[in-house]
Amino acid sequence: MANVSHRGDMATHPDVSEMRARYARMLGGRDVALVDGPVFLLGLYCAASPWILHYATSQPALMTHNLIMGIAIGLLALGFTTAPARMYGLSWAMCAMGVWMIIAPWIVGSSPDTGVVVNNVVIGALAIVLGLLCAGTAAKSVPRP
């Protein structure tokens, strides 16, 4: 029986440089993988918050707004997970979405109560913080010449 547990030296493989480069690309930016989950959960909460806090009937425009923004944040998180090298440039969009979430109750809503305002301010602040974390780690993981 042949000894199949022995592995040769990969340094002699003709595609070793390409495999190393691909491996480095695959791992590049993955130090921010811990942020992807919280971003997705934030989007999920944002989309469901009108029903959780029971303002779906009193603020129908804000309900639709939070649903759409939550889906958008969730899609960004999925993009961060599946294509990190391409998507972390959109980390700044996450910050912009956070700023918009903070001011949206007064622009989209009609005389929002304190609970609605606090909810959107907290969601917006978390989106800004997570967006800055994503942008910072993406900038850190880009190789410098």
Side-chain angles (χ1 to χ4, degrees), residues 21-36:
R22 184 173 184 202
Y23 184 72
R25 275 195 322 267
M26 294 298 286
L27 290 180
R30 292 316 303 159
D31 52 345
V32 77
L34 295 175
V35 181
D36 298 348

Side-chain angles (χ1 to χ4, degrees), residues 99-123:
V99 170
W100 174 249
M101 285 299 295
I102 291 172
I103 61 173
W106 295 281
I107 296 173
V108 177
S110 56
S111 62
D113 63 352
T114 306
V116 172
V117 171
V118 168
N119 179 59
N120 274 33
V121 167
V122 168
I123 291 171

Side-chain angles (χ1 to χ4, degrees), residues 80-105:
F80 292 159
T81 302
T82 58
R86 287 186 238 156
M87 291 294 293
Y88 281 121
L90 291 176
S91 300
W92 295 109
M94 183 81 175
C95 296
M97 291 170 79
V99 170
W100 174 249
M101 285 299 295
I102 291 172
I103 61 173

Side-chain angles (χ1 to χ4, degrees), residues 7-95:
R7 296 183 186 202
D9 185 19
M10 284 298 294
T12 60
H13 193 281
D15 295 330
V16 71
S17 61
E18 182 182 338
M19 289 188 306
R20 283 186 180 144
R22 184 173 184 202
Y23 184 72
R25 275 195 322 267
M26 294 298 286
L27 290 180
R30 292 316 303 159
D31 52 345
V32 77
L34 295 175
V35 181
D36 298 348
V39 170
F40 183 75
L41 290 175
L42 180 69
L44 187 65
Y45 174 75
C46 180
S49 65
W51 293 276
I52 293 172
L53 298 178
H54 304 292
Y55 66 86
T57 55
S58 65
Q59 298 284 337
L62 204 53
M63 175 202 67
T64 305
H65 169 268
N66 278 17
L67 177 65
I68 292 170
M69 290 297 289
I71 291 170
I73 291 171
L75 288 175
L76 271 177
L78 289 175
F80 292 159
T81 302
T82 58
R86 287 186 238 156
M87 291 294 293
Y88 281 121
L90 291 176
S91 300
W92 295 109
M94 183 81 175
C95 296

